[in-house]
């Protein structure tokens, strides 16, 4: 199942929770209501806004219960060919799948080849840093190049979305805490990142980090440890690797992070980028206004965004 945050084009209403299939987007709140009515569950239908919130953040806060209801609704819609609450893909705009996660935890230097190209040391423990919600944009938004940076760079990353509260989780059980996976572009202002020992200022510029286009649930991606990842700039391939080359894999990261920080439903973990970033090329090939960055991850799809100058 592919979960999306969407808005009908030319609508002023906030983004709503949906599921994408067959080039359509189904409104899960409305579809769940319809399903309950047809199943003669009128009392539950009256409570639809709490059982299946239209707001994406409220939906993910329900954790696995919300995911289970979404899956039931999704299959009911497909099996019964219900199209009343389905929009054609070109009728909607997709937003950031989780608009305001409580935490965005990023992992630095997590592919050996990238560590070497950045002339860093292979870490003994995961390198953690944070992004903030102000940085997030959706799959149809533009990456804003701020005047403060002249060295904007791309980084394709597998993004993990938490589906169940995790505190002191064990790596053997770690995948049970995941809602699904998406693509993240950990856009980095290298000049700002490198001017202090702490990377935050180069990693969380306003409207700089695309995520999407959707969250693929764990029934479709059962093993995140063997996914091909690629990036392209203006059609030129820059990065290609596989998540099997992560120094610290997804189960280990969830165990490690949850020992320190309680992970909540909707939290996002960006797992790191492979070699091939523009900063490490000779000469450096950094992002410019008008560039198009395309990311691909096996089993998820494509995330493509254009770079514009921040006004």
């Amino acid at each position: 199942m592919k979960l999306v945050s969407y808005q009908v084009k030319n609508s002023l209403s906030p983004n709503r929770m949906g599921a994408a299939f067959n080039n359509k987007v189904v409104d899960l709140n409305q579809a769940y209501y319809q399903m309950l009515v047809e199943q003669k569950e009128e009392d539950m239908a009256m409570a639809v806004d709490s059982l299946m919130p239209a707001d994406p953040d409220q939906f993910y806060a329900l954790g696995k219960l919300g995911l289970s209801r979404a899956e039931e609704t999704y299959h009911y819609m497909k099996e019964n060919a219900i199209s009343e609450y389905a929009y054609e893909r070109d009728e909607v705009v997709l937003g950031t799948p989780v608009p305001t996660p409580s935490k965005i935890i990023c992992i630095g230097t997590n592919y050996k080849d990238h560590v070497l190209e950045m002339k860093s040391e292979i870490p003994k423990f995961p390198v953690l840093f944070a992004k903030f919600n102000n940085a997030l944009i959706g799959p149809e938004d533009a990456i804003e190049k701020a005047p403060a940076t002249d060295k904007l760079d791309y980084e394709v990353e597998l993004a993990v979305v938490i589906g169940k509260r995790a505190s002191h989780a064990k790596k053997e059980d770690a995948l049970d805490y995941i809602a699904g996976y998406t693509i993240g572009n950990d856009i980095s202002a290298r000049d700002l990142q490198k001017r202090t020992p702490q990377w935050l200022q180069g990693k969380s510029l306003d409207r700089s980090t695309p995520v999407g286009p959707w969250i693929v649930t764990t029934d479709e991606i059962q093993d995140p440890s063997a996914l091909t990842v690629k990036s392209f700039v203006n059609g030129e391939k820059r990065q290609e690797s596989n998540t099997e080359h992560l120094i610290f894999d997804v189960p280990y990261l969830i165990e490690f992070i949850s020992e320190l920080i309680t992970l909540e439903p909707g939290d996002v973990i960006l797992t790191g980028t492979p070699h091939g970033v523009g900063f490490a090329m000779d000469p450096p090939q950094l992002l410019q206004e008008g560039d198009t960055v395309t990311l691909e991850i096996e089993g998820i799809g494509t995330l493509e965004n254009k770079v514009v100058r921040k006004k």
Side-chain angles (χ1 to χ4, degrees):
M1 179 170 56
K2 295 178 174 66
L3 297 171
V4 299
S5 167
Y6 83 94
Q7 184 181 55
V8 177
K9 286 183 178 178
N10 301 318
S11 169
L12 298 179
S13 62
N15 280 17
R16 294 175 63 88
M17 197 65 212
F21 71 96
N22 293 341
N23 209 34
K24 296 180 183 291
V25 170
V26 173
D27 187 288
L28 285 173
N29 170 269
Q30 295 175 324
Y32 188 63
Y33 176 85
Q34 180 68 25
M35 183 185 75
L36 292 174
V37 169
E38 292 184 5
Q39 293 176 344
K40 310 301 182 183
E41 298 284 357
E42 286 83 1
D43 290 343
M44 292 181 65
M46 294 298 293
V48 66
D49 289 337
S50 60
L51 297 173
M52 180 67 74
D55 178 85
D57 290 314
Q58 293 178 18
F59 169 82
Y60 286 106
L62 292 178
K64 291 288 187 175
L65 187 58
L67 293 168
S68 176
R69 290 172 182 157
E71 184 175 8
E72 181 186 5
T73 306
Y74 173 76
H75 288 299
Y76 185 86
M77 291 286 292
K78 290 183 69 175
E79 291 167 5
N80 292 276
I82 297 173
S83 59
E84 184 176 355
Y85 303 113
Y87 298 92
E88 296 295 334
R89 177 64 185 83
D90 60 5
E91 294 180 306
V92 304
V93 176
L94 299 186
T96 310
V98 187
T100 54
S102 66
K103 291 181 285 296
I104 308 165
I105 300 173
C106 307
I107 314 300
T109 58
N110 201 21
Y111 285 81
K112 182 179 178 181
D113 286 346
H114 178 57
V115 174
L116 297 177
E117 74 174 354
M118 298 299 283
K119 298 179 173 57
S120 301
E121 296 182 0
I122 295 176
K124 295 181 180 178
F125 302 98
V127 176
L128 306 185
F129 63 94
K131 282 183 180 281
F132 301 122
N133 291 326
N134 62 287
L136 297 182
I137 59 174
E140 299 181 43
D141 295 324
I143 299 165
E144 295 187 359
K145 185 177 185 294
T149 181
D150 292 319
K151 296 183 178 180
L152 204 66
D153 209 351
Y154 53 87
E155 294 188 5
V156 59
E157 305 201 10
L158 175 68
V160 177
V161 180
I162 299 299
K164 182 171 69 172
R165 192 172 189 267
S167 178
H168 300 276
K170 298 303 180 186
K171 60 183 179 182
E172 294 80 9
D173 305 317
L175 299 185
D176 293 337
Y177 292 89
I178 296 173
Y181 306 93
T182 187
I183 306 172
N185 191 346
D186 180 19
I187 291 289
S188 303
R190 299 298 187 190
D191 41 2
L192 307 184
Q193 176 188 356
K194 297 291 185 178
R195 67 183 180 182
T196 68
Q198 222 297 331
W199 298 350
L200 177 64
Q201 59 190 291
K203 292 286 191 173
S204 207
L205 294 174
D206 288 345
R207 297 188 59 78
S208 63
T209 303
V211 178
W214 37 59
I215 295 169
V216 179
T217 51
T218 54
D219 59 312
E220 294 193 16
I221 298 179
Q222 298 178 13
D223 181 7
S225 64
L227 304 176
T228 300
V229 299
K230 299 178 184 179
S231 74
F232 303 80
V233 178
N234 300 327
E236 176 191 2
K237 184 161 61 177
R238 296 288 183 85
Q239 296 174 280
E240 182 173 7
S241 189
N242 192 287
T243 55
E244 67 182 355
H245 299 305
L246 285 167
I247 297 171
F248 305 106
D249 64 13
V250 171
Y252 182 90
L253 290 174
I254 290 177
E255 178 180 82
F256 180 85
I257 295 169
S258 71
E259 285 286 332
L260 308 173
I261 306 165
T262 299
L263 294 169
E264 301 289 351
D267 285 350
V268 177
I269 301 172
L270 292 173
T271 58
T273 200
H275 69 285
V277 298
F279 181 77
M281 297 177 71
D282 185 17
Q285 300 291 317
L286 295 157
L287 295 175
Q288 304 299 324
E289 181 182 3
D291 285 347
T292 298
V293 186
T294 307
L295 310 183
E296 297 177 1
I297 297 185
E298 182 181 359
I300 300 175
T302 301
L303 175 66
E304 184 170 281
N305 303 84
K306 192 168 184 176
V307 179
V308 300
R309 183 180 300 277
K310 184 174 181 180
K311 296 178 181 179

